Amino acid sequence: MAEVKCLAFDLDGTLADSKQPIPDEIAAELERLASNYIIAIITGGTFEQVHYQVAQRLNHSAGLEVFSCSGAAYHIYNENGEPVHIYEHTIAHADEWDIRDQIERVAKQFGYWQDITVGPAFDFRGWQLT
């Protein structure tokens, strides 16, 4: 059996209430675990949100790995606890409209399209179109 080297956690609804800082008990446990494992946070939120909710609550964020934007962006915290940007993949704004058109076409084809919605039918977040 392979040795466990990394523990990955979802953020909102798992480590913390949505958009709220992690509780003191969770911060202490993450720091304890970080002495033996790589700690990774994976979330649909932005890196800035993870920084606010998690990294700022830790005494030692060195080694923390953040897969934000549903994994489309990746940051690590260096030995000084400073964030280092590794990558970020985004959808070109010009492609957004082509993707919207394709989703709408297929949704209409299969009878799922609704002309009246509560709020916008699409939410473009830069890295995903929801």
Side-chain angles (χ1 to χ4, degrees):
M1 185 195 268
E3 178 184 353
V4 174
K5 296 179 183 180
C6 177
L7 300 175
F9 299 92
D10 177 46
L11 180 54
D12 290 340
T14 303
L15 294 178
D17 289 335
S18 184
K19 308 235 187 287
Q20 299 302 309
I22 58 174
D24 292 341
E25 305 81 38
I26 298 292
E29 189 62 19
L30 287 176
E31 288 181 337
R32 185 187 73 76
L33 291 169
S35 64
N36 294 311
Y37 305 98
I38 296 167
I39 301 298
I41 307 296
I42 304 169
T43 181
T46 64
F47 170 75
E48 292 76 17
Q49 192 65 38
V50 179
H51 183 75
Y52 162 74
Q53 285 182 258
V54 180
Q56 288 185 334
R57 301 281 295 138
L58 300 176
N59 292 321
H60 307 286
S61 57
L64 180 65
E65 300 191 12
V66 177
F67 295 88
S68 57
C69 307
S70 301
Y74 176 48
H75 293 78
I76 60 170
Y77 284 82
N78 66 19
E79 60 279 348
N80 297 321
E82 300 163 336
V84 178
H85 175 82
I86 306 298
Y87 69 74
E88 183 171 357
H89 302 290
T90 58
I91 298 169
H93 206 62
D95 292 337
E96 171 194 355
W97 296 102
D98 183 47
I99 295 167
R100 285 177 187 243
D101 290 344
Q102 295 300 321
I103 292 171
E104 184 175 338
R105 181 184 61 75
V106 171
K108 285 179 177 177
Q109 177 183 344
F110 289 99
Y112 292 115
W113 186 256
Q114 298 293 317
D115 288 321
I116 300 172
T117 62
V118 177
F122 295 99
D123 179 16
F124 181 64
R125 299 180 179 182
W127 64 90
Q128 72 184 34
L129 184 64
T130 304

